[in-house]
Amino acid sequence: MILDAHGHLGTWGDFFIPHADPAWLIATLDRVGISAIGVSHLLGVGHDARTGNRLALEASEQFAGRIGVWLVGDPHDREAVARLSDDVDHTGVWGVKLHPDTHQVQLTDERYEPLLAFAAERGLPVLTHTHTGSVWSDPALAAEVSKRHAGMPILLGHSGLVENGLTRTAAIMADHPDLIAEICGSQLTRRWLTRLVRLVGADRVVYGSDACFFDPRPALGRLLAAELTDPERDSVAGGTLARLLGHRLTVKEMHA
Amino acid sequence: MERTNLRIHDINRVLGPVPHDDVPTDTVEGLLSDLTALGVASCSAVASWQLFGDPSGRAGSLEGGAEPLAAGPHPRVRLTPIVVPTPAGTGWPADPSVVLQSGARLVRACPVRHRWSLLSRTASRWWDACAEHGIALALDLTEVGFAAVAGLAASRPGLNIVALNPGYRELRRCAELLDEAPSILVETGTILTTGGVEWLAGAFGAERLVFGTGGPLLDEAGPTFLLRSLDLPENDVELIAWGNAARLLEGQAQ
């Protein structure tokens, strides 16, 4: 079973995305054998989490069991926790998505704390964008948050993004067992994916594509070609994420 | 659907050690092994010493590296010389005739990295010679920018240009470039946004796209898998994977 931990729906301002609709995404997942994808809507990652979350939930209903939802937590929204509370019990919700760089709030900032406390209390995994060296989302900030909320899985979106930061991300993860490396990004190679798995273990790495920023196919190709054992590849492809999501994962039998 | 039997030529590889990583392609054997692991039949590669060191090979900078104007080190690997078309003995090779005599059909230029001007008088003379003799020029878009490639194409309509490494956010600029001049082909390896390769093929034709990855500096495996699973007619995929490169290299790709 292949699960894509990191996806999006919608368009984005600074570049042209030919296919931003869930139907294209599902057809492409079918084409390459991906069972389900967790998405946040790009409106939510950007300027309107309320609308973005609604659209993501609608897509999840339309493609039940194929599209999971990471509800975007907007640190600028005074009602964010109440809104998350309203939405969190929808079937298909996988967890909470944070994007400190677009919202320009440091992950350790007190404005994130109510959202993190909510996720911890409700047993929701958190997927946060990370970018090595970013004042908003450096992986070390996720480690600080993890110390405050022991037991809450935190998926490090992009694993810090840049190849030369991956060894540091792995070192940070070594001391923080709830941190999970998510592997989408424009700079990762199969060589570095192999190294990352060797450093942290396949049970702490999850496949993600960043669709529809990226086509879901290249990240899968990178995973399939990485020099991993079959059990390692299975864990990264879906096993690790399925364990983290538990009962929240309801994967429908593939259409293809 | 993955086309496992697709014949593929990667037009943008690097052979040899690189300064910032331990790469499996630091030797010819390593590169061949990497190609085989990905099911890629052959490649065009620049020698890493030309990319990261002195491209002229002076003062021992060629030592241990592949000679870019010699026959390829293996039938599956064609070398792409990086030329420096500058005056007064500062460039390499001394004259475009040296490239013509070598039989190279594709050259790479790095004007920003090597600090020269793409449209200088000397460089213009080179591009005229390349156009006249059907030698294509590869330029990295992240290095030279889209406008420079468009400007060169406009000034030398007979020169085939392979625009490398556009990046996943640049479909609009790729469209502008392909709209600008029929002599430009765009490399697909970094066109990784959703359905981007299919979209460009639909808008401008598969004959305008050529498969290349930039490996090992950039990921090779993802773009190769994408190529094999493109939602395009078989003939279009074969053009991108092999046919367009073979046309540029005049059938010399293995």
Side-chain angles (χ1 to χ4, degrees):
Chain A
M1 177 174 62
I2 303 174
L3 301 173
D4 187 335
H6 188 155
H8 300 286
L9 297 172
T11 55
W12 193 244
D14 79 335
F15 66 103
F16 176 61
I17 296 173
H19 301 288
D21 58 290
W24 183 92
L25 182 59
I26 292 300
T28 303
L29 301 192
D30 285 345
R31 195 172 177 82
V32 293
I34 297 171
S35 300
I37 183 170
V39 303
S40 53
H41 198 285
L42 289 171
L43 269 182
V45 172
H47 65 280
D48 187 354
R50 187 177 184 178
T51 305
N53 286 341
R54 178 175 59 77
L55 293 174
L57 289 169
E58 288 174 5
S60 180
E61 282 180 20
Q62 185 184 357
F63 295 98
R66 306 299 306 283
I67 293 182
V69 174
W70 297 100
L71 294 168
V72 175
D74 176 358
H76 302 293
D77 180 0
R78 290 181 295 276
E79 305 297 325
V81 171
R83 293 190 214 287
L84 288 182
S85 188
D86 288 344
D87 290 338
V88 72
D89 291 324
H90 276 78
T91 302
V93 169
W94 283 11
V96 173
K97 162 81 175 186
L98 306 177
H99 204 304
D101 288 75
T102 57
H103 290 136
Q104 299 193 2
V105 172
Q106 197 172 57
L107 189 57
T108 52
D109 188 285
E110 62 182 16
R111 284 169 287 181
Y112 269 127
E113 192 49 35
L115 295 164
L116 292 162
F118 173 81
E121 180 190 325
R122 298 299 298 267
L124 297 165
V126 170
L127 167 61
T128 180
H129 175 88
T130 59
H131 191 161
T132 299
S134 164
V135 296
W136 315 116
S137 67
D138 185 86
L141 299 169
E144 180 62 30
V145 166
S146 188
K147 272 194 284 191
R148 293 183 203 161
H149 299 284
M152 178 179 72
I154 299 178
L155 279 63
L156 305 174
H158 316 292
S159 302
L161 193 61
V162 295
E163 271 192 346
N164 60 16
L166 286 177
T167 50
R168 178 170 166 271
T169 297
I172 290 169
M173 288 176 65
D175 297 326
H176 299 86
D178 298 321
L179 296 183
I180 304 292
E182 182 279 316
I183 58 171
C184 70
S186 60
Q187 300 187 30
L188 190 68
T189 58
R190 69 183 174 121
R191 173 175 78 253
W192 271 98
L193 172 55
T194 304
R195 290 171 184 163
L196 181 63
V197 172
R198 293 281 167 272
L199 287 169
V200 304
D203 60 340
R204 298 187 64 193
V205 180
V206 297
Y207 157 70
S209 71
D210 215 359
C212 58
F213 254 56
F214 286 99
D215 195 293
R217 292 169 285 184
L220 179 60
R222 193 183 303 140
L223 172 61
L224 294 175
E227 293 177 10
L228 304 176
T229 65
D230 287 344
E232 286 174 333
R233 202 180 322 278
D234 289 346
S235 287
V236 176
T240 300
L241 183 60
R243 172 173 53 81
L244 295 172
L245 293 176
H247 72 280
R248 292 191 168 275
L249 182 66
T250 53
V251 175
K252 207 173 194 176
E253 192 174 348
M254 281 184 47
H255 301 171
Chain B
M1 180 189 68
E2 190 185 0
R3 300 173 179 86
T4 52
N5 293 322
L6 187 65
R7 188 165 59 156
I8 300 172
H9 181 85
D10 184 339
I11 206 160
N12 183 20
R13 281 291 199 134
V14 177
L15 167 63
V18 303
H20 55 278
D21 201 354
D22 173 11
V23 295
T25 51
D26 56 344
T27 63
V28 174
E29 293 73 25
L31 175 57
L32 292 171
S33 175
D34 203 52
L35 295 175
T36 300
L38 295 172
V40 174
S42 58
C43 73
S44 299
V46 296
S48 65
W49 67 267
Q50 275 210 297
L51 199 57
F52 295 105
D54 180 348
S56 73
R58 293 167 62 231
S61 59
L62 164 60
E63 192 71 30
E67 162 54 61
L69 289 176
H74 188 276
R76 294 173 66 192
V77 180
R78 295 180 57 85
L79 288 176
T80 304
I82 298 178
V83 300
V84 186
T86 55
T90 61
W92 182 89
D95 189 88
S97 64
V98 179
V99 174
L100 303 182
Q101 287 161 13
S102 77
R105 310 304 303 171
L106 174 68
V107 297
R108 169 95 174 258
C110 306
V112 176
R113 175 183 291 273
H114 296 141
R115 294 178 184 261
W116 51 272
S117 302
L118 201 54
L119 290 174
S120 74
R121 218 154 62 94
T122 302
S124 295
R125 202 169 65 244
W126 272 72
W127 309 145
D128 287 339
C130 286
E132 184 183 347
H133 294 89
I135 297 173
L137 170 65
L139 296 163
D140 186 322
L141 287 163
T142 62
E143 179 194 355
V144 304
F146 285 76
V149 173
L152 178 61
S155 74
R156 297 289 181 286
L159 177 66
N160 288 318
I161 298 174
V162 181
L164 306 173
N165 194 15
Y168 75 97
R169 296 191 182 219
E170 299 291 2
L171 276 189
R172 290 185 178 122
R173 288 195 177 105
C174 284
E176 290 174 342
L177 207 53
L178 292 170
D179 188 46
E180 193 81 33
S183 57
I184 298 174
L185 285 84
V186 172
E187 181 198 32
T188 62
T190 57
I191 302 174
L192 298 178
T193 196
T194 52
V197 175
E198 287 103 331
W199 183 83
L200 279 175
F204 297 96
E207 66 276 11
R208 306 294 303 281
L209 303 173
V210 60
F211 178 74
T213 63
L217 308 178
L218 298 170
D219 180 45
E220 319 89 343
T224 308
F225 182 80
L226 174 64
L227 175 70
R228 288 201 174 95
S229 58
L230 286 172
D231 188 11
L232 288 172
E234 295 304 312
N235 187 55
D236 283 1
V237 178
E238 288 166 10
L239 281 175
I240 297 168
W242 179 272
N244 295 332
R247 177 164 50 84
L248 283 172
L249 301 169
E250 292 187 348
Q252 294 176 52
Q254 298 300 306

